[in-house]
Amino acid sequence: MEYLDCLNEAQKDGVVFTDGPCMIIAGAGSGKTRVLTYRIAHLIKSKNIDPFNILALTFTNKASQEMRIRIEQEVGSDARNLWMGTFHSVFARILRAEASNLGYPSNFTIYDTDDSKSLIKALVKEKGLDNKIYKPNVVLNRISAAKNRLISWSSYLQNPVFQADDISQLKPEMGNLYKAYSARCFKADAMDFDDLLFNTNLLFKDFPEVLHKYQHRFHYVMVDEFQDTNLSQYLITKKLAAVRQNIAVVGDDAQSIYAFRGADIQNILNFEKDYPDLRVIKLEQNYRSTQNIVNVANSIINHNKAQLHKNVWTQNEHGELINLMKATSDNEEGKLVASSIFEEKANHQYKNSDFAILYRTNSQSRAMEEALRRVNISYKVVGGLSFYQRREIKDLMGYFRFVVNQNDEQALRRIINLPKRGIGSGSIEKIMVTAYDHDISLWEVLINVKSFLSPKAATAVHDFVTKIRSFKIIAEQSDAFKTADHIAKESGLLKLLYEDKTIEGLNRYENVQELLNAIKEFVDNPDELKKEKGLGAFLQEIALLSDADTDKNNEQEQVTLMTIHSAKGLEFKHVYVVGLEEDLFPSQMMLTSRADLEEERRLFYVAITRAQKKLSLSYALTRYRYGRLKSCEPSRFIEEIDPAYIKVDRKWSSEKFSGVSSIGATKSNYAKNLVSGIQRQKLKPLNGKAQLTATINFVPSDTSTLQEGMKVEHPKFGFGKVLRIDQEGAQRKAKVYFENFGEKTLLLSFAKLKIHNS
């Protein structure tokens, strides 16, 4: 058991404690992947557990593949027999085997987000609803949220709270859209991403014999990134582990940042309530970052009330203090960051790939991109259009999908007239309506179109059907690559792209060739688990890829630009966290409750802990947002950093700071002067009582009657006096003097002010 020799005591406990419920709280950079990897190897090597009886769930295919490789190095090829993968990939595998119980064929299609939105758009049109009110992404998010809470369409329609909520949002048909969407997916033999979990829960609830089978198959259940699980995922794992109670979850509540996707931090905070005999192991030694970075992260996260307390520490070097940079504008911020990277590369021989620029929202990348281009620094933006979302790729994949599943409505709509073959939108709608009205499959309609389509359109459909039949025969007899290559050529798509000699056309043609390369790689993969090499197996693998899995530029020599959400799980030598301003980070939308604010603080914690050697923070005094120049104030998160670990480097600030030493700071001058004295202070309201926020039950007044000399209250700046009212076209502005913040010019169409009569 040589692998135990390279572990610290806490890590070793996490590996060897295998029987009974266990929760491993893993601080950032504490080696959780190593522990999870060796834990599985220990079960196989030392306890002689059959890999077929081990279930390990991750959040990306990339993570599971890397772990499998490392386990294989320890135990040999037996590691290939592990049930290891993402929640969606593992349960899609179970659903394929058990699909008939739920009325699905084993070759059901998995709809991606575009497919779902396209179907919802069609349903909104069919029902005659306003597409500006029932926007596809809004409807899909509502349906997704319901499924993640295991609320079926029938339960949704019977719930008066949901109905009242929808009516208040002027969307009374939301429940009926959910019902129609579910029915159409079922008719198309399709499941969306959320269905893979929803239907697994349904399978285990309604078919106890199926649950019993998998409970006795999986003797050990392990979950990585447990803080990111939603209710549906938690209930599945809890059911599977119910017989033997050998469940181990690994995670860090301080890195729970996906509530908007349905993740529930209460799963990890309350895990002990479900397992009173729980063994809790804390991995607190950080191997990634310098002491200063670890200390800054601790000082931030300690402000959260809802947390599992741990004391993260490191034996690494102290490292440099954290840089704080102030810019006059967002464009200036970009220039400061780009200049800093340029000089860091020159002075320390860093590579572009050593740097990452992290931001709260994707729109912030623009200023950074422009600045990096000016100094000729190569970069990549993570989170752009992924390879499998490109139009030409989805077109060819549409053919693949329809060949595998002739009831796939979205695939049919995409390919039936591509390349153009004389089947217009009117004919397509007649085909769809006939299938719905007679409650028959699309394929049945397609092979009987002569009765209701014009002779020309019917002939075109007949030729299309003949082509699909020939493709289906090839698919049944050949592997995925031979089938795909044949379809690409015989469908006419490859020829269509080849004849387009524009730069865009050449790129699209090369992208299709790259898709065929990927399919060849899939077929040639020696992994023994992939015994099925057909087109259907390839489609399932692609449907379950995440953005992290499809990033083909990981190894390129480029500075990485990404949102903090995308950066989770990554690390870089030098990290820049930009845009640290109130209403941007923390986001204005996350200030309505303590739970939301604490999630934003965890997001900041994740950003900080991506840094290995050096961390820089920046903010701007003005920023264009929604087409208007807005004055900004520094984020409250800056104030929460222990001043002992921060410095303001005058070189990388657009104007000099006052009161903070360029080589360090003390608490006394930090509290008074940090960020040019703009730090929030206790305000003195009219009643003389100090407070930090607006008065209780703050309600903005109608400012149409606001006049010079009036006393007003602002939810952030406190109490002030109106100095002047200006009218510029349709915009009405007020210049207000606030005692603790000085003069502020506010747009009255946006500003929230409460007028005080005394």
Side-chain angles (χ1 to χ4, degrees):
M1 297 190 290
E2 306 81 24
Y3 51 85
L4 295 179
D5 296 336
C6 62
L7 302 176
N8 63 38
E9 287 305 311
Q11 290 174 332
K12 196 177 297 183
D13 285 346
V15 169
V16 300
F17 181 81
T18 55
D19 294 332
C22 177
M23 179 166 65
I24 301 172
I25 305 299
S30 62
K32 74 173 179 65
T33 303
R34 171 183 289 189
V35 170
L36 199 51
T37 300
Y38 287 162
R39 181 185 178 87
I40 296 171
H42 186 72
L43 284 170
I44 299 171
K45 204 170 184 178
S46 300
K47 303 202 69 175
N48 297 316
I49 303 300
D50 191 327
F52 283 104
N53 298 135
I54 299 173
L55 172 64
L57 299 166
T58 65
F59 271 81
T60 67
N61 288 299
K62 182 180 177 182
S64 63
Q65 288 163 4
E66 289 175 353
M67 284 177 58
R68 192 189 299 276
I69 290 171
R70 290 167 65 173
I71 294 167
E72 192 170 344
Q73 290 171 351
E74 290 293 333
V75 304
S77 60
D78 230 15
R80 299 178 186 179
N81 298 324
L82 286 164
W83 278 71
M84 176 182 284
T86 65
F87 278 89
H88 294 89
S89 65
V90 168
F91 298 129
R93 184 178 170 188
I94 290 176
L95 285 171
R96 294 236 182 252
E98 311 293 342
S100 60
N101 289 294
L102 299 175
Y104 283 88
S106 61
N107 65 337
F108 61 81
T109 295
I110 299 175
Y111 275 180
D112 64 14
T113 302
D114 284 348
D115 295 321
S116 296
K117 287 182 180 179
S118 178
L119 175 54
I120 289 169
K121 186 176 180 181
L123 290 169
V124 168
K125 183 179 179 181
E126 289 171 20
K127 290 179 176 294
L129 301 175
D130 189 338
N131 59 11
K132 293 180 181 178
I133 295 176
Y134 293 95
K135 296 178 180 178
N137 62 316
V138 173
V139 176
L140 183 59
N141 287 341
R142 184 73 165 170
I143 293 173
S144 177
K147 288 181 181 178
N148 283 331
R149 287 181 288 166
L150 301 179
I151 299 167
S152 66
W153 64 262
S154 57
S155 297
Y156 189 100
L157 283 172
Q158 293 168 11
N159 190 309
V161 175
F162 297 152
Q163 301 306 307
D165 192 27
D166 288 340
I167 291 171
S168 70
Q169 295 182 37
L170 305 179
K171 299 180 180 68
E173 291 299 308
M174 190 70 80
N176 289 323
L177 279 173
Y178 183 9
K179 177 182 179 180
Y181 173 79
S182 299
R184 287 280 272 276
C185 284
F186 185 75
K187 190 175 182 63
D189 292 335
M191 296 187 197
D192 65 19
F193 220 51
D194 296 313
D195 284 329
L196 296 176
L197 300 178
F198 183 90
N199 286 338
T200 301
N201 271 292
L202 194 64
L203 180 71
F204 289 164
K205 178 174 74 72
D206 293 347
F207 300 91
E209 69 280 5
V210 175
L211 174 60
H212 180 270
K213 178 169 77 173
Y214 289 101
Q215 284 176 331
H216 288 80
R217 173 170 294 175
F218 302 132
H219 299 180
Y220 292 86
V221 177
M222 277 159 276
V223 184
D224 191 16
E225 303 288 5
F226 185 64
Q227 76 281 349
D228 295 332
T229 54
N230 58 31
L231 173 64
S232 182
Q233 291 164 327
Y234 180 47
L235 289 180
I236 292 171
T237 52
K238 184 179 176 183
K239 287 175 183 176
L240 287 173
V243 173
R244 289 180 170 81
Q245 301 277 299
N246 291 331
I247 182 171
V249 300
V250 183
D252 181 6
D253 59 294
Q255 297 185 64
S256 178
I257 59 173
Y258 293 122
F260 68 97
R261 293 182 186 170
D264 188 351
I265 191 175
Q266 297 305 319
N267 288 349
I268 193 169
L269 294 180
N270 297 328
F271 191 64
E272 194 166 1
K273 291 181 180 178
D274 285 336
Y275 297 95
D277 298 330
L278 182 70
R279 171 76 177 273
V280 178
I281 298 169
K282 295 183 180 180
L283 307 182
E284 297 174 307
Q285 183 175 357
N286 180 297
Y287 292 92
R288 175 188 299 156
S289 307
T290 64
Q291 289 186 27
N292 278 318
I293 293 171
V294 170
N295 290 337
V296 165
N298 286 341
S299 71
I300 286 292
I301 204 62
N302 283 340
H303 286 79
N304 272 9
K305 291 186 176 180
Q307 62 172 301
L308 299 170
H309 289 281
K310 56 187 174 298
N311 179 35
V312 179
W313 57 279
T314 183
Q315 290 182 334
N316 293 341
E317 61 183 349
H318 281 281
E320 298 184 40
L321 294 173
I322 280 64
N323 275 336
L324 180 62
M325 305 189 292
K326 179 176 76 168
T328 56
S329 67
D330 48 352
N331 285 332
E332 180 72 16
E333 182 183 39
K335 293 175 184 176
L336 292 177
V337 171
S339 298
S340 174
I341 292 175
F342 188 88
E343 185 162 311
E344 285 286 304
K345 286 180 61 181
N347 292 342
H348 302 289
Q349 288 74 52
Y350 282 144
K351 299 178 293 185
N352 284 339
S353 56
D354 292 330
F355 297 91
I357 302 173
L358 309 182
Y359 34 76
R360 181 63 179 83
T361 64
N362 276 307
S363 61
Q364 292 171 255
S365 73
R366 178 199 57 81
M368 298 296 147
E369 290 185 67
E370 291 177 1
L372 291 170
R373 282 199 296 267
R374 288 193 189 100
V375 292
N376 200 30
I377 292 177
S378 179
Y379 66 88
K380 63 177 178 181
V381 180
V382 175
L385 189 65
S386 71
F387 178 79
Y388 288 99
Q389 293 300 315
R390 299 179 191 277
R391 188 185 73 192
E392 62 276 12
I393 300 302
K394 289 184 76 71
D395 288 343
L396 187 51
M397 294 282 281
Y399 268 96
F400 298 165
R401 283 170 44 179
F402 196 70
V403 168
V404 171
N405 174 14
Q406 286 81 56
N407 287 325
D408 189 337
E409 175 185 335
Q410 297 309 308
L412 176 63
R413 285 181 180 273
R414 191 172 195 102
I415 67 171
I416 192 170
N417 199 39
L418 182 72
K420 293 187 183 302
R421 51 176 62 91
I423 306 174
S425 58
S427 297
I428 296 171
E429 288 308 313
K430 284 182 182 178
I431 292 169
M432 299 297 170
V433 169
T434 302
Y436 308 146
D437 288 350
H438 294 83
D439 194 25
I440 57 177
S441 71
L442 290 171
W443 188 246
E444 288 180 82
V445 176
L446 289 176
I447 59 181
N448 292 286
V449 292
K450 289 183 179 180
S451 60
F452 62 90
L453 289 186
S454 68
K456 183 180 178 181
T459 299
V461 171
H462 175 74
D463 292 344
F464 172 74
V465 168
T466 302
K467 200 177 286 286
I468 295 299
R469 279 175 166 159
S470 70
F471 294 164
K472 190 170 180 62
I473 292 171
I474 296 291
E476 290 170 350
Q477 298 174 349
S478 307
D479 63 34
F481 175 72
K482 290 177 182 176
T483 306
D485 189 53
H486 179 81
I487 293 173
K489 292 172 182 174
E490 297 304 317
S491 66
L493 282 183
L494 209 56
K495 182 174 181 289
L496 185 70
L497 293 172
Y498 183 76
E499 290 174 347
D500 184 353
K501 299 302 182 183
T502 64
I503 293 176
E504 293 80 7
L506 291 172
N507 285 337
R508 286 194 287 268
Y509 180 79
E510 290 175 358
N511 285 337
V512 168
Q513 294 295 339
E514 180 60 27
L515 172 61
L516 294 175
N517 292 339
I519 299 174
K520 187 71 168 77
E521 184 179 345
F522 168 81
V523 170
D524 293 343
N525 192 323
D527 190 339
E528 292 178 6
L529 284 179
K530 292 176 182 165
K531 295 175 183 177
E532 174 57 55
K533 301 292 186 179
L535 193 59
F538 174 76
L539 287 175
Q540 174 171 314
E541 180 163 293
I542 297 310
L544 297 170
L545 289 179
S546 67
D547 289 342
D549 300 318
T550 58
D551 180 11
K552 296 180 178 295
N553 296 313
N554 279 335
E555 305 305 322
Q556 290 192 16
E557 184 49 46
Q558 297 171 310
V559 173
T560 300
L561 278 66
M562 61 171 69
T563 64
I564 303 167
H565 283 102
S566 300
K568 189 155 176 296
L570 303 178
E571 57 185 43
F572 303 89
K573 286 184 179 177
H574 193 155
V575 170
Y576 295 82
V577 185
V578 301
L580 277 164
E581 298 135 33
E582 282 293 298
D583 293 343
L584 181 57
F585 196 16
S587 167
Q588 186 175 24
M589 294 184 294
M590 299 293 281
L591 297 176
T592 57
S593 69
R594 176 175 294 280
D596 286 345
L597 177 59
E598 293 201 349
E599 170 135 346
E600 285 290 281
R601 191 176 286 113
R602 292 194 296 270
L603 190 61
F604 186 38
Y605 176 86
V606 166
I608 291 170
T609 54
R610 300 311 94 199
Q612 296 172 303
K613 298 292 185 183
K614 196 166 182 179
L615 174 67
S616 296
L617 312 175
S618 66
Y619 71 98
L621 297 177
T622 61
R623 184 177 297 273
Y624 274 97
R625 299 195 73 189
Y626 311 113
R628 288 186 172 88
L629 186 64
K630 178 187 175 185
S631 296
C632 307
E633 60 174 308
S635 169
R636 68 189 71 190
F637 294 153
I638 294 176
E639 300 166 26
E640 293 175 356
I641 299 174
D642 189 319
Y645 309 118
I646 199 167
K647 70 175 180 179
V648 177
D649 193 332
R650 296 170 188 267
K651 183 193 303 182
W652 300 123
S653 293
S654 55
E655 55 183 85
K656 292 185 178 181
F657 289 77
S658 62
V660 183
S661 166
S662 62
I663 58 171
T666 63
K667 286 203 173 186
S668 58
N669 66 22
Y670 182 88
K672 294 177 183 176
N673 301 309
L674 179 61
V675 292
S676 299
I678 307 179
Q679 184 184 22
R680 256 192 293 285
Q681 300 175 25
K682 289 189 176 181
L683 307 180
K684 296 178 180 178
L686 298 178
N687 61 12
K689 294 181 181 179
Q691 62 175 38
L692 285 169
T693 57
T695 52
I696 297 172
N697 298 326
F698 177 90
V699 178
S701 304
D702 177 4
T703 55
S704 61
T705 59
L706 191 67
Q707 297 178 13
E708 182 179 316
M710 284 185 170
K711 291 181 179 179
V712 295
E713 180 185 1
H714 187 276
K716 291 180 186 171
F717 304 138
F719 293 83
K721 184 177 181 180
V722 179
L723 301 179
R724 191 172 73 244
I725 302 290
D726 294 320
Q727 188 83 31
E728 292 184 9
Q731 294 286 2
R732 193 161 174 257
K733 300 179 180 179
K735 179 170 280 190
V736 183
Y737 177 80
F738 295 98
E739 180 179 351
N740 291 282
F741 290 91
E743 292 184 5
K744 298 282 184 183
T745 300
L746 307 173
L747 284 174
L748 293 180
S749 57
F750 290 95
K752 294 179 179 179
L753 293 174
K754 183 175 183 179
I755 300 173
H756 288 267
N757 296 322
S758 57

